[in-house]
Each structure stands twice: as structure tokens, then as C-alpha cells.
Amino acid sequence: MTLDEILQGKDPDRMSELAPADLRKLFWMYKGLLKRVERDTAYWQATNDNLRTAYERLDEQERELARAYQTIRQDLEIAQQVQHALLPKDHPEMLARFEFSVYHKQMTEVGGDYYDFYRLRDGCHAIGVFDISGHGVSAALIMAYLKAQLVQTMEQVSRPREIVEYLNTATVGFLREVRRYATVNFVSFGEHSFRYVCGGGYGVLIRGGEVHTFNKGDPFIGLRRRAYSEYELPFETGDVLALYTDGLVEAQDNSGADYSTRRLHELVRTNSHLPANEILQRCLDDYGQFRRVDADDITLIVLRRRAA
Amino acid sequence: MSEETEASEPVVHGALMAGFAQACVNLNIVAGRRANALLADIDMGRWFPLAKWMELERMVGESYANVEPIRLKLGIEMMTLWYHHGPGKMLIHRGADFLHFQTGSNGIASVIRGPRDVVGSFDLAEFDAERGHAVIRSSTPFDKTIECGVLIGGVMAPGDLHYVDVTNDGDLNRLVVEFH
């Protein structure tokens, strides 16, 4: 009886029939098996120890990540407060002359849409709407920078063209360095009209039931030094002006279609008899039903001249 | 790599590097993108600076608190790959052949080149088939536990032996092989 024959059966009592050579073979097989088990046990033990260490490191990294996330959250909350503080709040002088309503939503805690109301050196009221390229903290920092530059600019000049040119000249070097730019819509109101400069911004005037867009195609701020053009449109009691950023009209529905300027302009036109805040709400309701998800910061300002 | 570089600089053959790297991947010592990068980095037809090998050894050492059983397993796995998926089957047919293959540092010379005082030797110093006893004198720069694993894996790979163990009796450069 050979070892292989015995091992194939189930009768251990027949081991005594083995030849000495087979017994030696069995001895080394058994010892070899023990050695393998010993090596494999050591290997798996080391692997197991390593896994435990890895999990402990992972736990620690998770805690560090949570701490870092908390710090970032707190910083963003402060940044958000700062950015809100930079936006205009009470506008009694503007309200005396204009009925207006504003919707401003950043996609994240802070963002790159920026608007402001001004009283120019010549006494005119003005609105500026800017959309800084990119999102988040970097765009918000550029926004704060632009606001500071605008304050200085307002002390020097007062016509929209001069203001935008001055601002562009003052900021183009820095903006090119940080590879950012900003669209601009700057509107200054006279007694029966407004003058405006449009560098990539969006706007629509509803006057006498007709739509007047003023996308004139001047360059964005921060691309290059150049002269800007200034245009003038009549603006009298009952006329409605809407200024907005691309986040609104470039939002898409489930099929991938843009909300579009045409849709917004038509909505403003058909509701232009309503108070400014209702026009704005109709626009937002329609936009809310249309869009799948907000893809960009959004600013929409609807404004109507009050009766003298 | 030029002959001039080979002579002045210790280099390791890509096949050995690839075997080591593949063993690391098989044993999940490296995984995911790191594993892909590790394997993609190694061209089997090239010679690599010895420092690159040492970097791999260090990577393993840094990954484990108790690394010796891992190194041993790595050596075994490397030679299992060498025998079953490399040229091993053409070079040896029995476990003892692997030990004879080391005579005159024949085996090591095919995978490492450079100044003798750096690359050292890996030479069969004693062989007694009757007692199942052999001694390898090793002065290579490679990790000695990995070398123990290489001997175990190489001798076990043909499958004709039932028991193999390698010890070094306190002398790290004297690897005592017991085989039956």
C-alpha cells in the first residue's frame, strides 16, 4: 500500500502498512505543511496588522479632513457675510425716483456676480452690474477688488463711458495677470433717459410695449485697454428696465435648451404693466419651472421710473 | 543603457524589477492607480539603476510595521511568477536545480550588473542532496529576507519537494537551505 493510495481512502488505520520511504515522505509533507502554515500565518498576521494601522491612519485623516472642512466652512461663512456687506442695502434716494426689485443668488457661498447703486459726481443715479468670470472665493475676491476700484473711479469721472474706461484701465493689468475678466452693464439715469455702457452685460428696456435690447458688444473689463462706447435711450414714467447676468438666460432645461434672452424679454414685456417686484417674481417663477439646475450666479434687477 | 554605464553603475534587469513589482501587486502591497503606475514604469527589456530597486524595497518597508513576513512572501511570490510565468520552467526541472543554478553566482549575474564590491555574489557554497542541506553565500545589496523567500520560492516552484526552509543562523550572509 502506497502513501497516495492510503491518502485517497478514508482508513487511517492502514498507515501501519506504509513502507519506511513513504513514512519519511509523509513526515516531510507534514512538516512542510506546518512550515507553510507558519509562514502564511505570519504573513496574514502582518497584513492584518497593516490593515489595522491603515484604518487608524484613515480615521485620523478623516478627522483632519473634518477639521479642515469645518475651518473652510467657517471661512466661507465669513466670506459670505463680507460679500453681502459689499452689496447695496438701503437705497432711499433711488427708491424715491425708481421702483425696483433685485434678485441676487450666488451658486456657492460666495460668487462673482456683483451689482451696486451709485450717486455720480454729476448728481445722476446709476446702476452697475458685473459678472466676474469663474465662481467661488476667487471670483468674490475679484468682486471686492472691482468695488474698491469703482469707489476710486467715481471720485474721478462721472459719465458711464469714462467710468468703465477708467475702471478697465485701472484693472486690466491685474485681471490679465490672474486670468479673469468681468462683464459690465453700467447705466446712468437722466431726467428722461439713461446712458449706458455694455461690455458683455445683458439688459432690456420695455418702452411703449416694445423690446429694446442693448447688447452692444463692447469688450469685457480686463481683456485689453480700449475705448468704450456710450449709448442713450429714452426712459420715462412707466418704462421698464431689466438688467441681468448670463446665469439666468444660459440655464438649461432637461433637454439642454437655454432659458434664453428671448424668453426673458418676452416675459418682461408681457408683464411690464405690473409693479417691478411682480415682474421680477413672474420671471423667477418661470425660470424656476424651466431650469433643471442653477449653473451660475444669477442677478436680475427690474426697475421702473416713478411718476414725477 | 550603455555598456559604459553598466560597468560604472550598478543596474538591475527589468525582468527582476517587473517580477518584484508584479509580486507587490499580487499581494496587494500596492493597489489601484499606484499599482498601474508601478507596472507601467518598468520595461522588462531595460536595465534600471540599483537605486530604483532599493526604492521599491523601501516602499515595502515603509508600508508595514511588521514587514519581515511580507518580505519573505514577496520573495516566494516572485519566484513562483518566475517559474510559472517566466523562463523558470526552461531553466530548472527540480527544486534542487534552482540551488545548482546559483553556482558561481550564475543566477544573480543574469539580473544584476555593476562593480563587484557593490553587486556582490549569490553563490552555492555547499550542497548535500542526501541530507537535504545547502548553503548559499550572499553578499548582494538585496534584502536578506527577500532572498530567503526567493530561495524558498525557487526551490518549491517545481513541486517535487515537500519541505523547504531557509535560515541564516545569525550570519545574514550565510543562507542555510533545508530541503526534502
Side-chain angles (χ1 to χ4, degrees):
Chain A
M1 180 65 65
T2 66
L3 178 60
D4 287 341
E5 286 167 344
I6 289 178
L7 290 177
Q8 278 166 17
K10 292 181 177 176
D11 188 357
D13 292 339
R14 300 196 69 182
M15 294 290 280
S16 57
E17 296 172 25
L18 280 178
D22 274 337
L23 279 172
R24 269 199 303 279
K25 186 179 169 186
L26 188 64
F27 171 81
W28 287 115
M29 279 173 74
Y30 180 69
K31 217 176 155 185
L33 201 62
L34 287 182
K35 189 49 89 177
R36 265 193 213 192
V37 169
E38 183 189 313
R39 282 196 285 260
D40 284 349
T41 304
Y43 167 73
W44 287 114
Q45 185 62 53
T47 303
N48 191 42
D49 289 348
N50 187 55
L51 255 180
R52 190 184 316 114
T53 309
Y55 276 123
E56 284 166 5
R57 280 186 197 154
L58 210 62
D59 278 351
E60 180 52 33
Q61 283 174 353
E62 204 173 292
R63 282 193 291 273
E64 275 177 28
L65 262 178
R67 283 194 290 269
Y69 181 72
Q70 183 62 22
T71 305
I72 290 169
R73 289 286 321 166
Q74 286 167 352
D75 282 352
L76 278 175
E77 277 172 24
I78 292 168
Q80 190 176 39
Q81 289 165 12
V82 170
Q83 191 168 43
H84 282 169
L86 292 176
L87 294 172
K89 286 169 199 66
D90 302 321
H91 329 286
E93 288 186 352
M94 283 281 285
L95 277 169
R97 289 170 171 262
F98 304 97
E99 170 208 339
F100 63 90
S101 191
V102 178
Y103 177 77
H104 178 73
K105 184 186 176 193
Q106 310 282 24
M107 204 173 65
T108 52
E109 282 83 352
V110 289
D113 271 14
Y114 163 50
Y115 71 94
D116 213 342
F117 301 109
Y118 313 95
R119 190 72 188 265
L120 304 181
R121 277 156 48 100
D122 61 8
C124 290
H125 291 281
I127 298 177
V129 179
F130 304 83
D131 180 2
I132 293 123
S133 58
H135 307 284
V137 174
S138 57
L141 284 170
I142 304 284
M143 171 243 176
Y145 169 74
L146 278 184
K147 178 168 176 107
Q149 293 295 328
L150 268 162
V151 170
Q152 288 184 22
T153 301
M154 301 294 177
E155 288 169 3
Q156 307 298 322
V157 289
S158 58
R159 287 186 68 100
R161 184 182 57 79
E162 295 169 333
I163 289 169
V164 175
E165 276 179 15
Y166 193 101
L167 180 68
N168 183 51
T169 303
T171 60
V172 67
F174 171 71
L175 290 177
R176 286 181 65 155
E177 193 181 321
V178 297
R179 295 169 187 272
R180 292 301 174 101
Y181 57 84
T183 66
V184 56
N185 238 342
F186 197 92
V187 180
S188 164
F189 298 95
E191 283 302 315
H192 303 284
S193 65
F194 63 75
R195 294 191 301 269
Y196 70 94
V197 171
C198 180
Y202 291 86
V204 62
L205 169 69
I206 309 297
R207 176 173 166 77
E210 288 187 11
V211 172
H212 305 266
T213 59
F214 54 99
N215 189 353
K216 295 293 185 184
D218 269 349
F220 304 159
I221 288 175
L223 293 184
R224 58 184 182 271
R225 285 173 214 276
R226 63 154 284 174
Y228 281 79
S229 305
E230 182 178 296
Y231 304 90
E232 185 165 9
L233 284 170
F235 190 53
E236 300 194 79
T237 305
D239 295 347
V240 174
L241 174 67
L243 302 172
Y244 54 95
T245 54
D246 62 357
L248 190 69
V249 289
E250 290 179 1
Q252 295 182 334
D253 66 6
N254 287 324
S255 71
D258 282 358
Y259 186 68
S260 80
T261 53
R262 183 190 295 256
R263 179 163 176 153
L264 179 70
H265 295 178
E266 183 56 22
L267 201 63
V268 176
R269 190 188 69 78
T270 53
N271 292 286
S272 58
H273 59 285
L274 297 174
N277 61 341
E278 286 187 33
I279 297 172
L280 184 126
Q281 194 53 53
R282 296 276 173 103
C283 293
L284 294 180
D285 290 346
D286 185 60
Y287 167 79
Q289 286 173 5
F290 175 89
R291 66 98 168 84
R292 182 167 48 89
V293 65
D294 288 336
D296 199 354
D297 305 328
I298 292 172
T299 300
L300 171 62
I301 300 173
V302 177
L303 181 135
R304 181 204 302 280
R305 185 187 291 280
R306 291 186 191 279
Chain B
M1 181 157 298
S2 71
E3 290 299 320
E4 196 180 342
T5 318
E6 280 176 36
S8 58
E9 236 184 80
V11 287
V12 176
H13 197 269
L16 185 73
M17 296 280 292
F20 189 73
Q22 188 63 56
C24 286
V25 172
N26 289 3
L27 298 176
N28 290 315
I29 291 167
V30 288
R33 278 180 300 174
R34 279 183 75 199
N36 294 338
L38 180 65
L39 293 175
D41 260 4
I42 298 167
D43 177 349
M44 295 241 280
R46 274 186 56 207
W47 289 83
F48 290 83
L50 176 62
K52 177 92 175 166
W53 172 277
M54 292 303 174
E55 199 182 300
L56 289 181
E57 277 194 5
R58 198 165 42 249
M59 177 196 75
V60 175
E62 284 167 358
S63 302
Y64 292 87
N66 175 19
V67 73
E68 293 308 305
I70 305 295
R71 285 180 171 142
L72 193 71
K73 189 79 171 174
L74 259 177
I76 296 171
E77 179 70 14
M78 263 177 78
M79 298 323 291
T80 306
L81 288 169
W82 172 78
Y83 184 81
H84 291 288
H85 303 286
K89 268 184 193 163
M90 287 190 293
L91 297 170
I92 64 166
H93 304 291
R94 296 177 305 127
D97 293 347
F98 185 73
L99 295 169
H100 288 299
F101 187 58
Q102 310 310 325
T103 305
S105 293
N106 180 45
I108 198 80
S110 63
V111 289
I112 182 168
R113 288 183 192 167
R116 177 83 179 177
D117 60 332
V118 178
V119 302
S121 62
F122 192 80
D123 193 9
L124 180 65
E126 295 173 27
F127 184 83
D128 185 338
E130 201 65 24
R131 284 171 54 213
H133 168 88
V135 172
I136 299 279
R137 297 288 318 182
S138 168
S139 56
T140 71
F142 299 134
D143 180 86
K144 292 298 162 226
T145 308
I146 292 177
E147 283 189 344
C148 287
V150 163
L151 282 172
I152 293 168
V155 174
M156 289 289 282
D160 61 316
L161 293 171
H162 304 300
Y163 176 88
V164 181
D165 197 19
V166 180
T167 52
N168 53 30
D169 293 339
D171 178 357
L172 285 177
N173 294 334
R174 188 170 183 274
L175 307 176
V176 180
V177 186
E178 190 185 1
F179 57 95
H180 298 280

